[in-house]
Amino acid sequence: MAQPDNLSEFDLIKQYFVRQRAGRATLGIGDDCALLTPSAGKQFAISSDMLVEDRHFFAGADPRKLGHKSLAVNLSDLAAMGARPVAFTLALALPQADRAWLAGFAAGLFALADAHDCELIGGDTTKGPLNICITVFGELAPGQALRRSHAVPGDDIWISGTVGDARLALAGYRMEQSLSAEELASAAVRMHTPTPRVALGHALAENKLAHAAIDISDGLVGDLGHILKASQVGATLDVDALPAGPILALQDTGLRRRFAAAGGDDYELCFTAPAASRAAIAALAITCGTPATRVGCIEAEPGLRLVDANGVALDLRLSSFDHFSD
Amino acid sequence: MAQPDNLSEFDLIKQYFVRQRAGRATLGIGDDCALLTPSAGKQFAISSDMLVEDRHFFAGADPRKLGHKSLAVNLSDLAAMGARPVAFTLALALPQADRAWLAGFAAGLFALADAHDCELIGGDTTKGPLNICITVFGELAPGQALRRSHAVPGDDIWISGTVGDARLALAGYRMEQSLSAEELASAAVRMHTPTPRVALGHALAENKLAHAAIDISDGLVGDLGHILKASQVGATLDVDALPAGPILALQDTGLRRRFAAAGGDDYELCFTAPAASRAAIAALAITCGTPATRVGCIEAEPGLRLVDANGVALDLRLSSFDHFSD
């Protein structure tokens, strides 16, 4: 970051985060609290994510991309619940008040917020090691939430978009995997600026097409595991059916399987739906502009069985990301 | 902190933050989002505060007190709006998963949360420099919020409880002020375990007794300044009428005036109310067990005029706390 200048806490908020546009909130930034009410007959879905330098992003990361990603990972939680974004709060610890950084961060943040009509209604700023904590509010009708506990045997397992390129980019940065500059740049887009699948998640819930959903942040196998545990079911996953990202698809089979199944940082949706929903989901995927791929099925037998395209069991020895073990 | 052991992110949440008790939320910890609806006819008041080590608390701070304070500063924002606490999210960055620290932090956090019937509904945990970000949800009827912009000329200015002991404790720790061990210990209670004035704030709003309110976190003069600016009014403040904390009251006049007027970290309420509310506020203060003291009046003339007990102007050269200037 460049040298700070004399930007006070209140000037910082006013210059970079208060906007002159009408919003949904009864009261936004500038009082002890914001005031917000869900639309008639709706409830709030609420999620918080905290992003820490050197943990969730590299030191020196492009602030514009970081602004995007900070909100994207939260919107992804709303998508996984089937909620429509409404508003968010932003708490920000910064080593210093750097104008260029703030301008970039705010630009990336608000570009995504505006695309989803999601209003910044409050928050906090303080000096400290770089830390970004967003709490997001969406709304949905009672009973429509795509809960982790609602998968049932016989459900198809679906994945939105593609998986694994974010993990491949990380391997490229770490020199664990040799990638051309073009390949790395392409895969890195998925790592730095993930696309939350808000329209698809909301439409799945609103049209009652899916039973359960989760967003893939720590790797598909681990995240699907949360659905299986909460729903007290098992599953068979066709690893070769997983929609690998375009750069990962160029890599060898072993790497492709591992990174698609357990890469992490994908922010795609993994959802389960009855076979009766197949045609409607396929149509919805086209409407939303987000591909959806069937990759397995929910079964009564506990456990997750990974198989190849021929149905032969695979032993990939995967592990999900854990913040206190990894 | 002691050495970490093999506590995974999910075990950490399950062992220290998931509780077996019925709450207000339709869905709490354990899915992509929590689901929460305000009571019929109510709206949500929402606030986020981020606490950073070495900025808001000392390194090595007692985790139990820290758990209390992290929620207290957020509940104080609800109190200043006149909202009743309902729920909160907790995002926590920890250098390591230390069981003793987590147990202490959770104990302090939940003791205060339970006292206010405020449910933990979700959040995030990650490894990183110690950072605690809470977003709190209260509820209140539309039109009842104690907004900073609603002070009017003729209003009395009131202060809850006492002010200045938290700042005095800081001066004691920093060796800027000589205090006996007993004095420091007593003043430090106000610094480490502030009492959010939830019952008083909520009752003021519900009974429509006050016009405007703010909680005193950065120092009374600065925080009252936010009310004056938002309401486009001025005020005269009788600095000698300020209810100094019991330890500050023992200090010399100059220090007492400065720390009472601009100490910070008090988490008392500063509110404005018409003269017609005086008797009702005095009665409410007794009901709530929270003293309330009249310390000045709102005037049409812009600016804040500090006077002594005889009405003579004081020039205290105070400054409010600013995270990026101090």
Side-chain angles (χ1 to χ4, degrees):
Chain A
M1 293 189 178
Q3 284 305 299
D5 53 20
N6 293 322
L7 192 62
S8 79
E9 184 180 353
F10 295 101
D11 287 343
L12 184 163
I13 295 167
K14 189 173 169 187
Q15 286 188 32
Y16 296 102
F17 296 112
V18 176
R19 310 174 81 204
Q20 302 305 323
R21 44 184 287 165
R24 249 291 300 278
T26 307
L27 183 64
I29 296 171
D31 214 308
D32 295 286
C33 296
L35 297 175
L36 193 69
T37 317
S39 306
K42 297 287 173 71
Q43 59 189 183
F44 277 138
I46 300 168
S47 181
S48 285
D49 274 303
M50 181 175 262
L51 275 72
V52 176
E53 190 172 62
D54 287 328
R55 192 79 194 158
H56 300 91
F57 55 90
F58 298 128
D62 178 346
R64 182 181 293 257
K65 290 175 183 167
L66 195 52
H68 172 101
K69 185 166 182 174
S70 301
L71 183 59
V73 302
N74 279 281
L75 292 177
S76 183
D77 284 313
L78 291 184
M81 213 71 188
R84 196 179 63 77
V86 171
F88 67 106
T89 60
L90 167 68
L92 197 54
L94 298 169
Q96 51 200 335
D98 178 307
R99 287 180 188 275
W101 191 93
L102 283 161
F105 181 83
L109 181 81
F110 285 125
L112 185 64
D114 291 348
H116 293 282
D117 206 12
C118 191
E119 181 188 3
L120 178 61
I121 59 169
D124 195 11
T125 53
T126 180
K127 199 178 269 194
L130 186 54
N131 184 307
I132 304 154
C133 182
I134 285 179
T135 302
V136 75
F137 310 94
E139 61 182 22
L140 77 174
Q144 282 190 2
L146 304 174
R147 294 169 65 155
R148 294 181 183 179
S149 58
H150 286 189
V152 294
D155 276 1
D156 296 320
I157 300 170
W158 296 78
I159 303 290
S160 70
T162 66
V163 288
D165 267 5
R167 179 67 182 85
L168 181 63
L170 183 63
Y173 285 123
R174 286 177 172 169
M175 309 288 190
E176 296 164 2
Q177 188 64 21
S178 173
L179 298 175
S180 71
E182 291 74 19
E183 286 177 328
L184 179 55
S186 178
V189 171
R190 290 302 305 272
M191 182 182 179
H192 298 309
T193 50
T195 303
R197 302 304 188 180
V198 171
L200 179 64
H202 182 53
L204 286 170
E206 198 167 40
N207 296 294
K208 300 183 197 296
L209 294 174
H211 286 150
I214 193 168
D215 73 320
I216 307 171
S217 53
D218 296 338
L220 170 59
V221 162
D223 289 324
L224 175 58
H226 295 308
I227 288 183
L228 303 185
K229 191 175 176 191
S231 299
Q232 299 182 280
V233 295
T236 292
L237 192 68
D238 177 355
V239 176
D240 289 334
L242 294 177
I247 310 305
L248 181 60
L250 304 174
Q251 313 302 313
D252 70 63
T253 305
L255 190 77
R256 181 173 52 73
R257 286 174 171 166
R258 280 197 296 124
F259 282 5
D265 241 8
D266 296 304
Y267 300 100
E268 294 292 353
L269 297 182
C270 170
F271 58 97
T272 85
S277 292
R278 284 180 191 173
I281 290 171
L284 200 60
I286 292 167
T287 313
C288 296
T290 303
T293 308
R294 272 195 294 132
V295 298
C297 55
I298 297 292
E299 295 157 349
E301 187 188 344
L304 177 59
R305 290 158 286 282
L306 303 179
V307 300
D308 69 11
N310 299 314
V312 176
L314 289 169
D315 179 12
L316 298 180
R317 282 174 299 156
L318 305 167
S319 68
S320 184
F321 184 76
D322 183 287
H323 277 290
F324 291 98
S325 301
D326 296 341
Chain B
M1 291 188 180
Q3 285 305 300
D5 54 18
N6 293 323
L7 191 63
S8 79
E9 183 181 354
F10 295 101
D11 287 343
L12 185 164
I13 295 167
K14 191 174 168 188
Q15 287 187 32
Y16 296 102
F17 297 111
V18 176
R19 309 175 82 204
Q20 303 304 324
R21 45 183 284 166
R24 250 291 300 278
T26 308
L27 182 64
I29 295 170
D31 213 307
D32 294 286
C33 296
L35 297 176
L36 192 69
T37 317
S39 305
K42 297 286 173 73
Q43 58 188 186
F44 277 138
I46 301 168
S47 182
S48 285
D49 273 303
M50 180 175 263
L51 275 71
V52 176
E53 190 171 61
D54 287 328
R55 192 80 194 156
H56 299 90
F57 55 90
F58 299 127
D62 177 345
R64 183 181 291 257
K65 291 175 183 167
L66 196 53
H68 172 100
K69 185 166 181 174
S70 301
L71 183 59
V73 302
N74 279 280
L75 292 177
S76 183
D77 283 315
L78 293 184
M81 213 68 186
R84 198 179 60 78
V86 172
F88 67 106
T89 60
L90 167 68
L92 197 53
L94 298 169
Q96 50 198 339
D98 177 307
R99 287 181 189 273
W101 192 93
L102 283 161
F105 181 83
L109 182 81
F110 285 125
L112 186 64
D114 291 349
H116 292 283
D117 205 13
C118 192
E119 181 188 3
L120 178 61
I121 58 170
D124 195 13
T125 53
T126 179
K127 199 177 267 196
L130 185 55
N131 184 308
I132 303 154
C133 183
I134 285 180
T135 302
V136 74
F137 309 93
E139 60 184 19
L140 76 175
Q144 282 189 2
L146 304 174
R147 295 169 64 155
R148 294 181 183 179
S149 58
H150 286 190
V152 294
D155 276 1
D156 295 321
I157 300 170
W158 295 78
I159 303 290
S160 71
T162 65
V163 289
D165 267 6
R167 179 66 183 84
L168 182 63
L170 182 63
Y173 285 124
R174 286 177 173 169
M175 308 288 190
E176 296 165 359
Q177 188 65 22
S178 172
L179 297 174
S180 72
E182 292 72 22
E183 286 177 327
L184 180 55
S186 178
V189 170
R190 292 301 305 272
M191 182 183 178
H192 297 309
T193 50
T195 303
R197 302 303 188 182
V198 171
L200 179 64
H202 182 53
L204 286 171
E206 198 166 41
N207 296 294
K208 301 184 197 296
L209 295 174
H211 287 149
I214 193 167
D215 73 320
I216 308 172
S217 54
D218 296 338
L220 169 60
V221 162
D223 289 325
L224 174 58
H226 295 308
I227 288 184
L228 303 186
K229 192 175 176 190
S231 299
Q232 298 183 282
V233 294
T236 293
L237 192 69
D238 177 355
V239 175
D240 288 336
L242 295 176
I247 311 306
L248 181 60
L250 304 174
Q251 312 303 313
D252 71 63
T253 307
L255 190 77
R256 181 173 52 71
R257 285 174 172 166
R258 280 198 296 125
F259 282 5
D265 241 7
D266 298 303
Y267 301 101
E268 294 293 351
L269 298 182
C270 171
F271 57 97
T272 85
S277 292
R278 284 180 193 173
I281 290 171
L284 200 60
I286 293 169
T287 315
C288 297
T290 303
T293 307
R294 273 195 293 134
V295 298
C297 56
I298 297 292
E299 296 156 349
E301 187 188 342
L304 177 58
R305 289 158 289 282
L306 304 179
V307 299
D308 68 11
N310 298 313
V312 177
L314 289 170
D315 180 13
L316 298 180
R317 282 173 300 159
L318 305 166
S319 68
S320 185
F321 185 76
D322 183 289
H323 276 292
F324 291 100
S325 301
D326 297 343

